[in-house]
Amino acid sequence: MKILVTGCAGFIGSNICDRLINLKHKVIGIDNFNEYYNPKIKKANLKIAQTSKSFKLYKEDILNFSSIHKIFKKEKPEFVIHLAARAGVRPSIKNPKLYAEVNVLGTV
């Protein structure tokens, strides 16, 4: 099966990717590596997945609808696990528009 995982570089997303790869699925990961927490940590989260030929990573923002459409058209995933989101309560109060765009429009 080919499964696309948004937010693949986060703690939960990266662990799901590793598990899916272990279950012999092909995994397409999308993450924008934003700086809510150190992008080096996110890169380290994908260390295991990136050693697999069954994993392909796209560094992309889910709000870039044109690029996301191209990824879906090219990869043709059978399933999507959507985990991409802006995290954090305090930053959402400071910038509610960004959080609404990513967490609502990004899901759409």
Side-chain angles (χ1 to χ4, degrees):
M1 223 179 302
K2 188 183 271 191
I3 303 169
L4 186 142
V5 179
T6 67
C8 69
F11 176 78
I12 295 170
S14 62
N15 279 281
I16 287 174
C17 289
D18 292 344
R19 179 74 173 139
L20 292 171
I21 291 165
N22 286 337
L23 292 171
K24 307 299 183 203
H25 297 294
K26 292 185 180 185
V27 179
I28 308 304
I30 298 176
D31 204 291
N32 71 351
F33 293 87
N34 69 51
E35 295 189 9
Y36 177 73
Y37 64 90
N38 190 334
K40 289 180 183 178
I41 295 170
K42 294 178 182 186
K43 289 177 184 176
N45 286 345
L46 291 175
K47 188 176 182 180
I48 295 170
Q50 290 191 303
T51 64
S52 172
K53 292 180 182 179
S54 296
F55 180 74
K56 187 169 187 180
L57 175 64
Y58 289 91
K59 293 179 183 176
E60 189 57 71
D61 190 315
I62 60 171
L63 292 180
N64 188 339
F65 301 126
S66 174
S67 290
I68 296 299
H69 179 73
K70 288 176 186 174
I71 293 168
F72 271 79
K73 190 173 181 175
K74 178 181 178 182
E75 298 296 342
K76 298 177 177 47
E78 297 169 71
F79 292 96
V80 175
I81 299 174
H82 177 53
L83 300 171
R86 292 295 297 203
V89 174
R90 287 187 186 120
S92 74
I93 293 168
K94 291 180 182 176
N95 195 349
K97 184 179 180 213
L98 173 64
Y99 279 70
E101 287 174 349
V102 172
N103 297 351
V104 177
L105 292 178
T107 299
V108 173

